[in-house]
Amino acid sequence: MTYDEKIEKAETIISQLEQAEAISMDVYKRLAAEATSLLKQCKDELTAINADNSPT
């Protein structure tokens, strides 16, 4: 999954969570964990890019 796809999927999940009146707590927790994981992967990619571009 590309960086952009991860961001898009995380945004979709976050939108679902914001309108989460009709979902169970188990589903809410699973979706929140998935969004958190996707955003962490994106952060890790950005951190790696920053590290690669840092002057040594």
Side-chain angles (χ1 to χ4, degrees):
M1 187 178 288
T2 68
Y3 177 88
D4 289 336
E5 290 169 335
K6 290 174 192 171
I7 289 292
E8 185 176 332
K9 182 161 182 149
E11 288 174 346
T12 299
I13 292 169
I14 291 166
S15 291
Q16 289 174 334
L17 293 175
E18 290 175 341
Q19 302 167 3
E21 296 173 13
I23 63 173
S24 71
M25 183 55 71
D26 288 336
V27 172
Y28 188 95
K29 290 187 325 189
R30 182 181 55 77
L31 289 172
E34 184 178 359
T36 299
S37 175
L38 289 166
L39 292 173
K40 182 185 180 315
Q41 291 172 39
C42 290
K43 179 184 174 192
D44 291 347
E45 287 182 39
L46 292 175
T47 300
I49 290 169
N50 252 355
D52 290 343
N53 291 326
S54 294
T56 52

